[in-house]
Amino acid sequence: MDITYDLESITELTVANTTGIGRGNAGGLALRNFCVAIDSTMYVKTSEIMRQNLEKQFSLPVKFLVISHYHGDHIFGMAAFKDICILSSEQTSKVMLNEETKSRYQVFIKDLAKEGPIGEAIEYVLPTLLFNGKLIIQDNDLYIEIFHTGGHTAGSSFINFPHENVVFAGDLIFENTFPYAGDPTCDPELLINALQKMRDINADFYIPGHGPTMKGASTLDRHITFYHDLRDIIRDAIKDNTAVDKISIPDTFGEPDAGRKSMTVNHWLNYYKNK
Ligand SMILES: [Zn+2]
């Protein structure tokens, strides 16, 4: 089977693949003298093709890979970029260095190898340049800002490209699908704050971590409302001592799969019990 990984033009200087073919969305952008890739899909193969297509599209080399967070469907293709600078928040790197994550992901990588050619050659590559708070990559008159917010995971970050009015949100946004908000390091309050921060930037386009590109900041409103409503439901459930299986969640994104729902609900219950 031939593997392809086409990049869709979002604006003149930004591209993305939101088809789900590499599992987590990935994309990139061009500054004046080089490109920046954003996330590396779950497979080395799709990541390699993404890099080639980025360089072809803009006739510029890729100089940086930015990792939005540590989940496998965004980082397992990193081997395709290990000769260049790989950036993440310090918190993402800390979670990746954690023994529990490493052993869990070793099993994950072994399972992917069984999927055939697409799952081959995955390596657990670590980021090489770490930041806290905010990092700017500048090239002549163009720049991008990377904000570490936490939320979906402790290290979660998003990328803003002001010149193009585009935000790459990573998994701080799941569009048209029930979000995963049950990672052990997920912080619901930081997640809501991150969504509001992206909303306030008022970009023209938001590239979510999963699902199609979103046009305009108002498309974030139903996500913010969803998490506010979920928080209210969880707080009420704690007050009323409701059994986990009796907790219903907002139907904004349809019926979640049972595993994703219970991980999210249990994580949020623990979080707000201890608040
Ligand atoms: Zn994720």
Side-chain angles (χ1 to χ4, degrees):
M1 186 189 73
D2 277 348
I3 298 164
T4 56
Y5 197 79
D6 296 332
L7 293 171
E8 177 198 349
S9 289
I10 309 300
T11 63
E12 198 189 336
L13 299 179
T14 59
V15 293
N17 183 310
T18 60
T19 63
I21 193 174
R23 304 297 287 274
N25 289 343
L29 54 91
L31 299 180
R32 297 296 181 208
N33 298 291
F34 56 86
C35 299
V36 178
I38 298 166
D39 281 347
S40 68
T41 77
M42 189 148 87
Y43 310 106
V44 179
K45 209 69 229 169
T46 44
S47 195
E48 277 171 354
I49 301 168
M50 175 177 84
R51 181 172 175 177
Q52 286 161 13
N53 285 343
L54 251 179
E55 296 187 334
K56 202 157 57 184
Q57 168 114 4
F58 296 114
S59 302
L60 292 170
V62 178
K63 199 163 164 182
F64 299 96
L65 169 68
V66 181
I67 293 298
S68 67
H69 68 298
Y70 84 96
H71 284 156
D73 54 341
H74 297 260
I75 67 161
F76 283 168
M78 271 161 77
F81 292 91
K82 65 181 175 181
D83 59 311
I84 62 166
C85 182
I86 303 180
L87 280 162
S88 78
S89 66
E90 184 178 15
Q91 201 58 46
T92 285
S93 169
K94 274 188 183 156
V95 177
M96 288 183 71
L97 284 167
N98 183 300
E99 287 307 322
E100 189 277 329
T101 315
K102 276 202 231 167
S103 56
R104 186 156 50 89
Y105 274 15
Q106 254 153 28
V107 176
F108 194 173
I109 289 169
K110 270 192 194 134
D111 286 345
L112 288 170
K114 293 176 200 150
E115 285 189 12
I118 191 148
E120 286 169 2
I122 295 173
E123 290 174 48
Y124 197 63
V125 179
L126 290 166
T128 47
L129 189 60
L130 314 177
F131 71 96
N132 283 298
K134 173 182 170 181
L135 181 81
I136 294 176
I137 299 178
Q138 185 173 272
D139 181 17
N140 283 332
D141 57 321
L142 297 182
Y143 70 96
I144 59 169
E145 305 167 303
I146 314 167
F147 295 97
H148 171 222
T149 58
H152 170 69
T153 66
S156 282
S157 307
F158 73 84
I159 296 97
N160 179 34
F161 190 3
H163 185 269
E164 299 292 284
N165 291 318
V166 174
V167 164
F168 289 83
D171 281 0
L172 293 165
I173 306 179
F174 286 68
E175 177 65 335
N176 294 346
T177 178
F178 187 81
Y180 175 53
D183 185 87
T185 71
C186 170
D187 185 312
E189 289 295 313
L190 293 181
L191 177 52
I192 292 168
N193 291 348
L195 280 162
Q196 193 58 53
K197 191 175 171 123
M198 290 189 286
R199 172 74 170 92
D200 293 345
I201 283 173
N202 201 16
D204 292 337
F205 296 95
Y206 292 83
I207 322 291
H210 296 265
T213 300
M214 299 148 70
K215 290 196 182 84
S218 64
T219 57
L220 271 67
D221 290 344
R222 68 182 186 133
H223 294 265
I224 295 169
T225 303
F226 170 84
Y227 286 117
H228 280 159
D229 290 350
L230 181 60
R231 178 172 65 185
D232 289 345
I233 289 166
I234 295 294
R235 282 179 172 154
D236 286 346
I238 293 166
K239 207 164 55 196
D240 302 338
N241 220 355
T242 313
V244 177
D245 58 344
K246 295 279 182 296
I247 299 174
S248 60
I249 47 169
D251 62 2
T252 321
F253 300 106
E255 192 53 37
D257 78 76
R260 188 175 278 196
K261 180 193 162 184
S262 84
M263 282 171 94
T264 300
V265 167
N266 280 312
H267 184 73
W268 283 51
L269 280 171
N270 285 331
Y271 178 90
Y272 284 105
K273 265 179 201 161
N274 298 316
K275 268 271 154 195

